[in-house]
Amino acid sequence: MSVARTWAVALTGLRGEVVEVEADVTAHQPDIRIIGLADRALGEAARRVGNACENSGLPLPYRRLTVNLSPAGLPKQGTGFDLAIAVAALATDDRVRRPSAAAVVHLGELGLDGRLRPVAGVLPAVRAAVAAGRPRVIVPWGNREEAELVVGAEVWAAVSLAQVAAWHGAEVEVPDVPPVPGATAAPADAEELDLADVVGQQDAVEALIVAAAGGHHLLMSGPSGAGKTMLARRLPGILPPLDDEAALEVASVRSLAGEQVTRLDRRPPFEAPHHSASTAALIGGGSRVARPGAIARASRGVLFIDEATEAAASTLDALRQPLEQGSIDIHRAGFTARFPARFQLVLAKNPCPCGEYGVRGGDCTCSPHLIRRYAQRLSGPLLDRIDIDLKVERIASIAQTRSADGTTSAAARSRVTDARARSRRRLAGTPWQVNVDVPGAWLRRGPRAVDPGAVRSLDAALQRGVLTLRGYDRVLRVAWTVADLAGHDRPTAADVGRALFLKKGVVA
């Protein structure tokens, strides 16, 4: 029997599935046919594989070669199947040992000269292979560092097809050629931004600490020059470092986006797309291969949109589903890709188009009608998903900068870490770890329900129509975070009042 087999991985979003690559030759007109729901890029592998094998001194059999990618009903995209197809094809006439080829997962694109080119998504692909019980993986040399990040993987990094064939027992001369480097250099370490740089905004700093401790979404309103962007960029620095699973998830998304991953970064990511970014840039997409957008790249970290009222309403409304579900689904003909979207949303806006409305000494030229329309650009359903509505004012005197207490990021991060530890202990035995994830029904009627006397002001706000029920639940979550920071076993009336003020800027 001439059928030979090896393995590859098909990625749909971050989910990977091991694919069996079968090759068979028959006595027909020479040709290479790839079947099994391959996309256009994968269908073109026949030409790349044929030339790469010929130029590596490993010509394919001069017969019809049929390659089947199984399961046939699973969509398969990209060029990462080239190496597996070549190895399976060479195994049909025993140019490489069949048992050896069948024991390894092969990932990588082939150049016409036979060299292996790095591909996007190697990290989640190797994770999927290890999870499927196939830890032996061959990857391009340019992907070796990210592949080696997966615990339990036995990674072989190859420069060329000839080198891979030689590992599988082929009698072939391995050329001394330089490896193809990664397409994108690893990003340099970002400058460490310290919260101590923020002066004269102690209320805003405290609100930022509350947001970090509970994972709450934040809206900052104020004139230009008040420090909104400065505050937002320092939020990742006061979040706890990522654990192993979260760091791997972040690195996997970066890998899918085409970035070269060389290490696990424990810092929460920070994404700040321009307010003119399209919906596709925000949520991700692609006609044939789904790529993560800013939402997925910000998962486990912070998504910051400055000048949010200048963004398209449809783009901002696209945030509503991932804010609730913690994931984003991209639907295309034939497949659905799911990406993580567990981010903290930070929006910033000016009080009016000119930015001077309500500013001490400011000269606002906007009409009342224009100011109202400007404020209404953020939809009610989106605002209802914001936990903290923070008003930020400009520094009014130089004395404020001299008297600032200069809370450092290290001190704030310590408070945040302690508060999150309290919430984890309280939520032990539940699927949740931070307050922002806890369902409203559990908060209101669960075993840790707040005393009725403590939520009297909240009930009054709901009755007056100041809050919706969703907003009511979000205030409860913030109240628990305020209590965790204060070391209280349950939220007090003062904690609930503080949370209500952070949400609506009112005291009932």
Side-chain angles (χ1 to χ4, degrees), residues 16 59-60 94 177 191 197 233 251 253 313 352 365 376 397 410 485 497:
L60 294 174
D94 297 316
V177 293
E191 179 186 358
D197 298 334
R233 290 191 175 276
V253 172
C352 68
T365 59
Q376 292 169 355
S397 68
L485 285 166

Side-chain angles (χ1 to χ4, degrees), residues 46-405:
R47 295 176 180 267
R48 291 191 298 272
V49 169
N51 286 67
C53 289
E54 187 73 29
N55 292 326
S56 299
L58 297 162
L60 294 174
Y62 196 67
R63 290 177 287 174
R64 176 175 293 173
L65 176 66
T66 302
V67 178
N68 180 45
L69 308 176
S70 179
L74 176 71
K76 305 163 190 77
Q77 303 98 15
T79 58
F81 289 81
D82 288 7
L83 180 58
I85 292 172
V87 170
L90 292 171
T92 56
D93 65 351
D94 297 316
R95 300 291 296 274
V96 302
R97 294 192 301 267
R98 295 190 187 188
S100 177
V104 180
V105 175
H106 297 84
L107 305 171
E109 176 186 334
L110 286 174
L112 297 183
D113 59 357
R115 288 192 298 172
L116 282 178
R117 299 179 178 276
V119 293
V122 161
L123 180 56
V126 174
R127 293 182 71 188
V130 172
R134 297 191 174 277
R136 298 178 66 183
V137 184
I138 294 180
V139 301
W141 182 262
N143 291 127
R144 72 191 187 283
E145 291 178 299
E146 66 176 280
E148 290 169 350
L149 294 175
V150 181
V151 177
E154 183 182 344
V155 178
W156 299 354
V159 175
S160 65
L161 173 61
Q163 185 179 16
V164 176
W167 287 344
H168 289 314
E171 295 182 2
V172 62
E173 181 181 352
V174 179
D176 185 14
V177 293
V180 179
T184 305
D189 289 344
E191 179 186 358
E192 190 69 28
L193 301 176
D194 200 290
L195 203 58
D197 298 334
V198 180
V199 295
Q201 296 283 10
Q202 192 56 32
D203 289 342
V205 168
E206 285 299 316
L208 201 69
I209 293 173
V210 173
H216 302 293
H217 309 304
L218 174 68
L219 169 65
M220 290 186 286
S221 307
S224 58
K228 302 185 296 294
T229 301
M230 190 178 192
L231 285 162
R233 290 191 175 276
R234 281 152 180 78
L235 178 56
I238 66 176
L239 294 173
L242 301 177
D243 58 22
D244 290 345
E245 182 61 30
L248 269 174
E249 181 184 284
V250 170
S252 296
V253 172
R254 298 290 182 187
S255 176
L256 274 176
E259 296 183 16
Q260 186 180 18
V261 179
T262 59
R263 59 186 176 84
L264 290 184
D265 194 344
R266 303 290 176 171
R267 295 171 303 175
F270 180 84
E271 289 289 326
H274 193 263
H275 60 77
S276 63
S278 66
T279 303
L282 198 63
I283 68 174
S287 59
R288 291 177 294 187
V289 179
R291 296 297 185 199
I295 284 176
R297 295 196 302 272
S299 187
R300 307 284 185 165
V302 177
L303 176 67
F304 174 54
I305 301 179
D306 199 4
E307 305 290 350
T309 44
E310 300 293 341
S314 59
T315 300
L316 291 177
D317 284 342
L319 296 170
R320 287 158 53 182
Q321 181 242 348
L323 283 175
E324 290 294 326
Q325 297 185 1
S327 63
I328 181 71
D329 293 330
I330 300 175
H331 298 273
R332 294 293 182 268
F335 71 93
T336 299
R338 172 168 292 185
F339 294 105
R342 303 184 64 82
F343 59 89
Q344 275 188 258
L345 177 64
V346 179
L347 302 176
K349 72 180 185 72
N350 290 334
C352 68
C354 74
E356 296 296 323
Y357 176 69
V359 178
R360 184 187 297 108
D363 183 18
C364 178
T365 59
C366 304
S367 67
H369 176 67
L370 188 61
I371 293 173
R372 284 195 302 272
R373 286 188 60 186
Y374 190 78
Q376 292 169 355
R377 289 185 180 180
L378 298 182
S379 68
L382 177 61
L383 291 176
D384 214 22
R385 289 166 171 82
I386 298 296
D387 302 328
I388 299 175
D389 188 347
L390 178 64
K391 304 298 188 294
V392 184
E393 303 291 344
R394 289 176 182 163
I395 299 298
S397 68
I398 196 65
Q400 287 182 269
T401 66
R402 293 174 182 151
S403 61
D405 69 354

Side-chain angles (χ1 to χ4, degrees), residues 1 4 37 75 115 122-123 255 303 396 409 444-445 485 495 503:
M1 188 170 76
L37 210 57
R115 288 192 298 172
V122 161
L123 180 56
S255 176
L303 176 67
S409 289
R444 286 180 268 110
R445 300 188 299 270
L485 285 166
D495 296 332
K503 171 65 177 175

